[in-house]
């Protein structure tokens, strides 16, 4: 019996020894792999002789372009397309490659990338507490011969780095990024109704520089073909963060040859962007994408406005001084903005007591909407407001109209300039002409 117990004890002892050896191997191998990954990521970042062209997105608006130059002493130089200053002024900061849950690239001092997550919306925008919804810690995913791919730890947005050429490095470091950005913006400001022709269709091309969104839209036998993507600026033009796909048109990027803008298709074909003397699409299909919204400037009433529409606008402008509040106001304007993602329209009544030099207050009224793409008719549902500011009292006639009538949009041409109109569907006596913005 004792002999049997000795044998069993020996078996248990030997088994436990074997398992111990296996555990040591399992623990040791991942540690070595992690160390190798950290070293490989670090050496690849600093091993690009001309730095990296990069882009990322945020929870809110837009894609954002960067140039990074990583150095051995954990120093970093960058420029970015966030502002005019960030596109020209080289920002020096620090970075680390460290193990958190995985090999992670950490931007550990304030950079242009940090601006996107600044909790103070006054720094760049977004919401209090999270800014635009971006990261400064990015987990490594994979690499190719010329690219590296990371994912933000919190918001899961991709950060893509592509090795820069010597010419690109000189352009970014020499302040040429802003010139490229301005050229792209000026093209859309000065080119009426740009479009990409393909297979007998004209795909309207719109670029919203405030929201950093680009779209292609066409009508095909009554069907709306549309694609909207976030974009970032490049030295050649701009690129969507994902391929723009609308019908048979698949656009990878936009670039200039001289002063002509071309679209590079998924097939590798380059198609010149053309211009039309008349709008390619009805206004309701571009509002909130190509145009942010419409504006009624201070004491300005445009042709095409009906008598009842004029009463509504005058109630606002004249009433800022006379009826708004007991506060002394002497300037203001009216903005109506479209949020196509959330399908909301926001009316912002701005007012000022110093002629709009420094002080502005906004009273906001928000509507949800449903849009019939075929007829262009908006059905509005009151959501909230009027809140904030001092103009609630003089927004009353506009709200009464919107609460009781569906609306549609249309273009209006006066003196060679293009405007946008709100037209009552149920109350046909109301027509108001606005600036497009």
């Amino acid at each position: 019996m004792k002999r049997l117990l000795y044998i069993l004890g020996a078996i248990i002892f030997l088994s436990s020894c074997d398992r111990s050896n296996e555990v040591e191997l399992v623990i040791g191998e991942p540690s070595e792999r992690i160390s190798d990954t950290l070293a490989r990521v670090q050496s690849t970042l600093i091993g690009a002789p001309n730095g990296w062209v990069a882009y990322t997105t945020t929870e809110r608006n837009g894609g954002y372009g960067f140039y990074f130059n990583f150095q051995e002493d954990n120093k970093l130089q960058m420029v970015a397309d966030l502002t005019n200053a960030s596109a020209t002024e080289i920002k020096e900061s620090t970075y680390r490659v460290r193990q958190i849950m995985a090999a992670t690239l950490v931007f550990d001092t304030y950079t242009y990338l940090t601006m996107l997550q600044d909790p103070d919306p006054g720094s760049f925008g977004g919401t209090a507490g999270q800014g635009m919804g971006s990261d400064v810690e990015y987990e490594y995913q994979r690499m190719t011969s010329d690219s590296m791919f990371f994912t933000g730890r919190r918001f899961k947005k991709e950060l893509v780095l592509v090795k820069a050429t010597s010419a690109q490095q000189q352009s970014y470091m020499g302040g040429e990024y802003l010139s490229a950005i301005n050229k792209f913006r000026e093209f859309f400001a000065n080119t009426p109704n740009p479009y990409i022709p393909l297979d007998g269709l004209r795909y309207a091309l719109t670029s919203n520089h405030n929201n950093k969104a680009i779209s292609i839209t066409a009508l095909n036998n009554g069907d709306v073909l549309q694609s909207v993507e976030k974009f970032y600026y490049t030295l050649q033009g701009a690129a969507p963060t994902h391929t723009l796909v609308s019908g048979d048109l698949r656009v990878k990027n936009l670039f200039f040859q001289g002063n002509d803008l071309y679209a590079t298709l998924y097939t590798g074909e380059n198609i010149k962007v053309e211009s039309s003397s008349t709008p390619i699409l009805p206004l309701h299909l571009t509002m909130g994408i190509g145009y942010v919204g419409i504006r009624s400037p201070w004491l300005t009433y445009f042709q095409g406005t009906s008598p009842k529409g004029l009463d509504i606008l005058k109630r606002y402008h004249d009433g800022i001084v006379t009826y708004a509040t007991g506060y002394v106001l002497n300037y203001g304007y009216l903005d109506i903005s479209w949020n196509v993602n959330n399908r909301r329209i926001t009316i912002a009544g701005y007012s000022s007591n110093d002629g709009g030099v420094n002080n502005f207050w906004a009273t906001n009224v928000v509507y949800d909407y449903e849009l019939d793409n075929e007829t262009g008719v908006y059905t509005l549902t009151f959501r909230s407001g009027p809140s904030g500011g001092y103009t609630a009292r003089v927004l009353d006639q506009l709200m009464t109209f919107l609460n009781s009538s569906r609306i549609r949009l249309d273009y209006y041409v006066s003196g060679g300039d293009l405007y946008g109109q709100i037209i009552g569907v149920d109350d046909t006596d109301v027509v108001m002409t606005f600036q497009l913005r």
Side-chain angles (χ1 to χ4, degrees), residues 208-221:
N208 186 320
H209 305 289
N210 293 319
N211 293 335
K212 299 289 287 293
I214 197 162
S215 71
I216 48 176
T217 312
L219 287 176
N220 184 16
N221 296 324

Side-chain angles (χ1 to χ4, degrees), residues 336-388:
I336 304 178
S337 304
W338 270 252
N339 182 326
V340 295
N341 292 326
N342 294 320
R343 302 183 78 81
R344 290 178 191 160
I345 294 174
T346 299
I347 301 167
Y350 289 92
S351 61
S352 172
N353 67 342
D354 64 357
V357 176
N358 295 304
N359 298 329
F360 265 115
W361 300 277
T363 302
N364 294 314
V365 182
V366 182
Y367 287 87
D368 295 319
Y369 72 81
E370 295 295 330
L371 172 63
D372 185 324
N373 279 330
E374 185 173 348
T375 63
V377 172
Y378 290 85
T379 301
L380 306 183
T381 303
F382 175 77
R383 182 179 180 88
S384 64
S387 60

Side-chain angles (χ1 to χ4, degrees), residues 215-266:
S215 71
I216 48 176
T217 312
L219 287 176
N220 184 16
N221 296 324
D223 294 328
V224 178
L225 308 176
Q226 186 175 61
S227 178
V228 183
E229 289 289 350
K230 299 175 180 180
F231 79 91
Y232 61 98
Y233 296 105
T234 69
L235 290 172
Q236 296 76 37
T241 54
H242 297 88
T243 301
L244 273 165
V245 180
S246 178
D248 293 329
L249 183 63
R250 300 167 64 87
V251 177
K252 294 179 67 177
N253 62 67
L254 298 160
F255 70 96
F256 283 100
Q257 284 188 356
N259 292 321
D260 295 327
L261 185 65
Y262 285 80
T264 299
L265 306 192
Y266 191 79

Side-chain angles (χ1 to χ4, degrees), residues 149-187:
F149 300 85
F150 298 83
T151 301
R153 295 192 65 223
R154 179 181 179 188
F155 292 102
K156 308 302 180 185
K157 302 302 181 185
E158 192 174 46
L159 174 67
V160 179
L161 282 65
V162 180
K163 287 181 180 178
T165 65
S166 176
Q168 286 175 322
Q169 181 186 43
Q170 293 177 24
S171 295
Y172 281 112
M173 300 295 281
E176 296 179 26
Y177 198 14
L178 180 58
S179 298
I181 292 170
N182 286 337
K183 184 174 184 177
F184 189 80
R185 289 174 172 172
E186 290 166 3
F187 175 86

Side-chain angles (χ1 to χ4, degrees), residues 19-328:
R19 283 197 296 270
S20 175
N21 289 337
E22 288 175 2
V23 170
E24 289 176 0
L25 289 174
V26 171
I27 292 175
E29 290 177 357
S31 177
E32 292 175 5
R33 289 199 298 270
I34 290 169
S35 179
D36 288 345
T37 300
L38 292 173
R40 186 167 68 254
V41 170
Q42 176 83 21
S43 63
T44 304
L45 289 172
I46 64 178
N50 304 306
W52 301 84
V53 178
Y55 68 88
T56 190
T57 63
T58 71
E59 281 289 282
R60 294 177 66 84
N61 298 333
Y64 296 93
F66 297 84
Y67 169 77
F68 297 141
N69 188 8
F70 297 93
Q71 300 169 5
E72 291 187 10
D73 56 358
N74 289 110
K75 297 292 181 62
L76 168 69
Q77 294 178 318
M78 73 166 67
V79 294
D81 69 356
L82 279 68
T83 65
N84 289 353
S86 72
T88 54
E89 298 174 9
I90 299 170
K91 185 80 167 179
E92 295 188 350
S93 58
T94 60
Y95 75 97
R96 287 176 295 158
V97 177
R98 58 187 291 255
Q99 175 70 17
I100 303 180
M101 295 298 290
T104 304
L105 172 59
V106 180
F107 298 86
D108 56 1
T109 52
Y110 199 93
T111 68
Y112 294 136
L113 191 61
T114 317
M115 287 175 62
L116 294 175
Q117 68 152 208
D118 195 308
D120 178 7
S123 296
F124 187 71
T127 58
Q130 67 174 223
M132 298 296 290
S134 184
D135 286 286
V136 292
E137 296 181 346
Y138 290 87
E139 292 185 351
Y140 166 73
Q141 301 297 321
R142 61 189 176 89
M143 68 174 69
T144 64
S145 60
D146 67 348
S147 302
M148 300 183 74
F149 300 85
F150 298 83
T151 301
R153 295 192 65 223
R154 179 181 179 188
F155 292 102
K156 308 302 180 185
K157 302 302 181 185
E158 192 174 46
L159 174 67
V160 179
L161 282 65
V162 180
K163 287 181 180 178
T165 65
S166 176
Q168 286 175 322
Q169 181 186 43
Q170 293 177 24
S171 295
Y172 281 112
M173 300 295 281
E176 296 179 26
Y177 198 14
L178 180 58
S179 298
I181 292 170
N182 286 337
K183 184 174 184 177
F184 189 80
R185 289 174 172 172
E186 290 166 3
F187 175 86
F188 283 91
N190 300 326
T191 303
N193 308 308
Y195 68 94
I196 302 171
L198 182 69
D199 297 335
L201 295 180
R202 298 194 299 175
Y203 291 82
L205 178 65
T206 61
S207 175
N208 186 320
H209 305 289
N210 293 319
N211 293 335
K212 299 289 287 293
I214 197 162
S215 71
I216 48 176
T217 312
L219 287 176
N220 184 16
N221 296 324
D223 294 328
V224 178
L225 308 176
Q226 186 175 61
S227 178
V228 183
E229 289 289 350
K230 299 175 180 180
F231 79 91
Y232 61 98
Y233 296 105
T234 69
L235 290 172
Q236 296 76 37
T241 54
H242 297 88
T243 301
L244 273 165
V245 180
S246 178
D248 293 329
L249 183 63
R250 300 167 64 87
V251 177
K252 294 179 67 177
N253 62 67
L254 298 160
F255 70 96
F256 283 100
Q257 284 188 356
N259 292 321
D260 295 327
L261 185 65
Y262 285 80
T264 299
L265 306 192
Y266 191 79
T267 59
E269 180 183 2
N270 296 324
I271 298 181
K272 182 181 174 182
V273 177
E274 304 288 353
S275 174
S276 172
S277 58
T278 57
I280 303 297
L281 297 168
L283 183 55
H284 66 270
L285 293 181
T286 63
M287 187 57 72
I289 303 171
Y291 298 107
V292 178
I294 52 180
R295 172 172 295 174
S296 178
W298 174 238
L299 294 175
T300 303
Y301 310 107
F302 300 110
Q303 291 185 10
T305 299
S306 69
K308 190 171 181 179
L310 186 62
D311 288 342
I312 293 173
L313 295 177
K314 281 192 170 184
R315 166 66 173 170
Y316 180 78
H317 289 284
D318 295 344
I320 284 179
V321 176
T322 309
Y323 305 112
T325 67
Y327 201 70
V328 178

